[in-house]
Amino acid sequence: MDNDISRRTFAKVAGVAALSTAMPTVAAAEAAEPAIVAPGRLFPRGFLWGSATAAYQVEGAATEDGRGPSIWDTFSHTPGKTVNGATGDIADDHYHRYKEDVQLMKALGVKAYRFSIAWPRVFPQGSGAPNPKGLDFYNRLVDELLANGIKPFATLYHWDLPQALQDNGGGWESRNTSEAFARYAGYVAQHLSDRVRNFFTINEFGAFVELGYNNSIHAPGLRLPPARFNQTRHHAVLGHGLAVQAIRANAKPGTRVGLAENMTICCPVIENEAHTKAAERATREMNAPYMTVIQEGKYTDAYLAGAGADAPRFTAADLKSISSPLDFVGINIYTPTWVRADDSPLGFTAVKNPNSYPHMLSSWLTIGPEALYWGPRNVAKIWKVKEIYITENGCSSSDVPAADGIVYDTDRVVYLRNYLSHLQRATADGIPVKGYFLWSLMDNFEWADGYTNRFGLHYVDYETQKRTPKLSASFYREVITRNSVA
Ligand code: NOJ
């Protein structure tokens, strides 16, 4: 019997007990026993363990060294837009403390760091003259990462659109923004690709376009009528495609490019053939305006029919740019969408028990560890993608330091243990997931939720800027060291 534990060969993992002194949490318990790992539960050799942040959420230094204003500066400074009027003016002060933060990563043992570049630092007006001092921050950060053996993975757009582009033409409502984004992407690739070998174009179309231009709960706080909104969606994916081309044209040979999308992760309600096929159909349709058009170079018939006269206007050349070949696909995965097969025209329905469904501190963050299996599985199956990264996964919890100063975030550990077990299941099935970036390295500015919903492995005291590893940091360090969850 394969699952007879007594017949497995266990691997003793040297060094797990010797956790860094920078990780004082539960140190005595960690030092006690050498760990054993069942080979069937290992992640593939060379699996890339990382952590992630984004510029506006951690950097602070909002007016320093020539940075121009972004739509998030404007939005967060508008009364009533964020919880307690929080802004990213200071955030985690990472702009000044990045060296300390790189040491946090080193103590965790991560081999890669996903961060974002603030467009308004590099082009304060979005376009026109670059600001070399802005780019210099990323030169310093990248050099520090490499000196500490950590691979930089840079995201070019994590929502901090230069305000000037919003003021002139309505931001992503205008095709000019797609083109300006490509120029900025090409410029950054030209200057950083000697050391940054992996770029993500855009982070989460499914959040910044939907929440910013349709639901008005994110910057720039708009509620566009359907035709203008669909056109905005189109300009966002067009910006991605043009940026891929600009990176390829300007970067050092061998530079790799992908995206980081919060796709709707369709999981079958029961893992049988009918529901599994329904989840595949749902994956294409529920991601039609973003991932599907990027992968297939066309909008689905159902999307266009549903939009009717409000469908986006586009050319064949647009679609070709949007579907420019990628080196990898990044997926941000937090919650599942449960799908069942039915005899409706599209052959699926999304379902969920409304009132008792479990979630983390953020009410949108409903729990479903299976998402880390079905997300990459569907991307690999439907679009034959050969290289996948989980570019974000993690959760918010109501972290409160105990008397000894440590946050015992057992709920986050439970969340991570279960999600990561399903990710390991994916790799064991041969699904080509190459790495995982945990969101987030440290607590930070959680957009409209301000500083109330903490996602970090490190607790940040915003009065003193002191960072303290939580229990989950110790957990993650062990996962990395063992290359295994259990
Ligand atoms: C997705 C976003 O990319 C990130 O900025 C955000 O903080 C996390 N999800 C958690 O909401």
Side-chain angles (χ1 to χ4, degrees):
M1 269 201 313
D2 277 356
N3 61 355
D4 179 352
I5 214 163
S6 66
R7 290 174 55 187
R8 286 194 193 140
T9 314
F10 284 106
K12 284 207 180 221
V13 177
V16 169
L19 288 186
S20 156
T21 48
M23 310 278 290
T25 55
V26 292
E30 287 166 347
E33 295 258 327
I36 48 174
V37 176
R41 296 208 183 135
L42 286 169
F43 280 83
R45 191 185 295 273
F47 190 80
L48 196 66
W49 294 104
S51 65
T53 66
Y56 191 70
Q57 296 181 269
V58 298
E59 286 178 0
T63 56
E64 226 162 294
D65 293 333
R67 178 184 179 277
S70 77
I71 56 173
W72 268 98
D73 296 280
T74 308
F75 188 76
S76 64
H77 279 269
T78 306
K81 297 297 187 191
T82 63
V83 173
N84 300 328
T87 74
D89 289 359
I90 300 172
D92 292 343
D93 196 29
H94 174 72
Y95 194 78
H96 301 113
R97 295 170 195 260
Y98 67 94
K99 288 191 176 174
E100 181 190 339
D101 294 335
V102 170
Q103 290 312 309
L104 299 180
M105 296 176 214
K106 207 173 170 187
L108 268 180
V110 294
K111 300 293 180 296
Y113 176 49
R114 173 174 176 246
F115 60 97
S116 81
I117 293 173
W119 184 351
R121 284 198 196 284
V122 183
F123 286 93
Q125 297 304 309
S127 208
N131 169 36
K133 277 190 161 181
L135 191 68
D136 268 356
F137 169 65
Y138 301 104
N139 276 315
R140 293 195 294 278
L141 173 63
V142 164
D143 289 345
E144 188 69 14
L145 289 164
L146 292 172
N148 284 279
I150 298 168
K151 273 191 192 164
F153 279 66
T155 306
L156 290 159
Y157 186 72
H158 203 124
W159 309 355
D160 40 4
L161 183 75
Q163 182 64 42
L165 292 177
Q166 190 64 43
D167 295 342
N168 303 313
W172 291 102
E173 212 189 325
S174 160
R175 195 181 176 96
N176 289 339
T177 294
S178 320
E179 289 163 2
F181 177 61
R183 287 193 295 276
Y184 149 71
Y187 177 84
V188 172
Q190 185 185 355
H191 288 85
L192 291 185
S193 62
D194 56 335
R195 287 153 295 146
V196 178
R197 310 299 293 132
N198 297 280
F199 287 94
F200 303 104
T201 54
I202 288 183
N203 178 71
E204 294 200 355
F205 301 95
F208 83 90
V209 183
E210 304 292 313
L211 302 179
Y213 291 83
N214 190 30
N215 298 347
S216 90
I217 60 174
H218 276 193
L222 300 175
R223 242 182 243 284
L224 296 179
R228 286 169 59 189
F229 174 60
N230 287 333
Q231 200 61 39
T232 303
R233 286 170 152 177
H234 178 72
H235 291 149
V237 286
L238 178 63
H240 154 81
L242 295 175
V244 173
Q245 296 174 344
I247 292 167
R248 301 233 190 271
N250 289 283
K252 298 262 178 292
T255 304
R256 291 147 43 80
V257 56
L259 78 173
E261 174 59 346
N262 62 327
M263 301 173 52
T264 300
I265 305 297
C266 301
C267 305
V269 284
I270 298 171
E271 295 190 5
N272 64 19
E273 200 185 337
H275 296 308
T276 298
K277 289 225 150 57
E280 289 169 14
R281 290 193 289 277
T283 299
R284 288 188 64 249
E285 295 302 345
M286 296 184 89
N287 294 292
Y290 306 121
M291 189 65 99
T292 306
V293 69
I294 287 169
Q295 294 296 337
E296 300 184 8
K298 61 184 176 65
Y299 290 110
T300 67
D301 294 343
Y303 174 62
L304 292 177
D310 296 324
R313 296 181 194 291
F314 55 87
T315 64
D318 285 359
L319 295 179
K320 193 147 191 262
S321 301
I322 289 167
S323 57
S324 299
L326 301 174
D327 296 297
F328 48 76
V329 165
I331 329 174
N332 294 358
I333 299 184
Y334 291 88
T335 72
T337 294
W338 297 107
V339 167
R340 72 176 175 85
D342 67 7
D343 52 12
S344 65
L346 292 176
F348 69 85
T349 302
V351 290
K352 194 176 266 182
N353 211 358
N355 298 324
S356 59
Y357 202 89
H359 63 81
M360 298 302 292
L361 189 62
S362 311
S363 55
W364 58 266
L365 212 170
T366 54
I367 299 171
E370 293 86 344
L372 270 194
Y373 177 80
W374 288 101
R377 185 270 187 197
N378 285 338
V379 165
K381 170 92 192 311
I382 299 169
W383 295 303
K384 314 283 174 261
V385 171
K386 297 281 182 298
E387 189 167 335
I388 297 171
Y389 290 89
I390 305 304
T391 30
E392 286 185 29
N393 172 244
C395 65
S396 51
S397 29
S398 57
D399 301 331
V400 180
D404 61 3
I406 307 296
V407 172
Y408 291 95
D409 53 345
T410 52
D411 50 353
R412 181 174 287 108
V413 172
V414 167
Y415 174 100
L416 291 172
R417 183 163 39 231
N418 283 283
Y419 273 72
L420 285 171
S421 297
H422 276 275
L423 187 62
Q424 196 274 337
R425 176 187 168 206
T427 60
D429 278 8
I431 296 160
V433 185
K434 305 296 181 189
Y436 170 90
F437 295 86
L438 200 152
W439 187 273
S440 176
L441 175 66
M442 54 191 169
D443 297 336
N444 58 49
F445 176 76
E446 178 56 11
W447 307 110
D449 288 336
Y451 294 97
T452 52
N453 286 0
R454 294 171 178 268
F455 277 77
L457 293 173
H458 294 88
Y459 183 85
V460 177
D461 177 337
Y462 294 111
E463 296 296 311
T464 62
Q465 290 294 346
K466 183 167 186 269
R467 286 90 156 111
T468 307
K470 301 176 191 174
L471 178 69
S472 54
S474 294
F475 166 79
Y476 191 43
R477 187 175 199 282
E478 287 216 27
V479 168
I480 295 170
T481 310
R482 292 178 183 168
N483 205 27
S484 170
V485 182

